[in-house]
Amino acid sequence: MMSPSIRLPPSRCANDRCPFSADRPFFLGIHTFWPRAYDKVKPRFTACEPRGLTNMKKWAVWLCSLLLLLPLSACTNDGGQSGKPLQKVRLAEVTHSIFYAPQYVALAKGFFKEEGLDVELTTTWGGDKTMTTLLSGGADIALVGSETSIYVYSQGTADPVINFAQLTQTDGTFLVSRKKIGHFTWEMLKGSTFLGQRKGGMPQMVGEFVLKKHGIDPHNDLHLIQNVDFANIANAFASGTGDFVQLFEPTASIFEQEGKGYIVASFGTESGRVPYTSYMAKRSYMNENKDVIEKFTRAIYKAQQWVESHSASEIAKAIQPYFKDTDSAIIEKVVDRYKSQGTYATDPILDEEEWNNLQTIMAEAGELPKRIDLNTLVDSSFAKKAMNK
């Protein structure tokens, strides 16, 4: 008697029984393929094999395929978002700087994607432009100085901008001298030309606050220039304008490396803690997208914790793709400088002491329209939820 021929599923899918098609990937089709293949050959065995043993083989094959499938499903690390389309979030940052290292860590390490978010980052260069972009609907979330939310609120808007997560907690600028100074004192600024930041912006207000702290009247004891556009301040100094300039990193360290200037002091260590740069959104957007704000804040908190627990070298390596034109040694140096002075917030909560210090600095600069209660423009509920999860 001739034994029955064995017919396996065709190698090229000609019907809906093919286990390896585009809509039936290998790891999903394997548990159907093996039992079917066994069904084709079982006439050869049934004459000499108890039926119970045959069923046991089927179950054994099914169990083995299930065990192969489990590791594949366990490899996904996207916070339960596997298979779901990512939700786009348009983020506008006031400038592109290593000052915001935790943000780039969140992007590089996939923390936003783990939360199901596709963050589209745009640099808008300056607080006024960033806030205009947010208010006009060009961005969903903005990373900018918290003082801008006070300005908008004071103008009487019906849809105020709310701070919901803090990223940096000190000023991130440094005083750079054109000449190398062995033993710097703040008195050396008297009679000099100081190229400052935009009037009304947080860098300029902190700069004036620190100068006054050291007994220097910024409008009478030196020649203060503050009409240069934010994006052009570094170029203006490199071209010969000013004896001193207030710069962010990595520009300050690059100038030092190239011999164009020398860092002599940190405005961050001199001014104390403030909600220097925070994430904010219009109240209407937050009310309609609470899940997005919650996920976004959770991703930022993960990044803040990662930065806190890793070395400057590891952080520099992680954010290098976002600063391709900057030498890795410079990135590491800047990160180390910011970490050592406590610039990076370790959690997203903006507290009352920082908020009051911000308004004191604004008042000293003559830029505070009126004092505003913390709870009016700050919502820390998302930050607290992210930390307690």
Side-chain angles (χ1 to χ4, degrees), residues 15 17 34 123 135 175 211 259 261 303 305 350 353 382 387:
N15 52 56
R17 291 177 63 82
W34 283 353
T123 306
L135 294 175
L175 180 64
L211 290 176
Q305 291 295 288
L350 194 167
E353 182 180 351
F382 299 97
M387 293 173 63

Side-chain angles (χ1 to χ4, degrees), residues 151-162:
Y151 293 147
V152 171
Y153 182 79
S154 298
Q155 292 171 5
T157 178
D159 193 7
V161 174
I162 307 299

Side-chain angles (χ1 to χ4, degrees), residues 6 67 75 78 105 121 181 198 240 266 313 315 328 350 370:
I6 300 174
L67 291 174
C75 287
D78 57 1
V105 166
L121 181 64
I181 300 174
R198 177 185 61 84
S266 166
S313 176
I315 298 168
S328 59
L350 194 167
K370 61 180 179 180

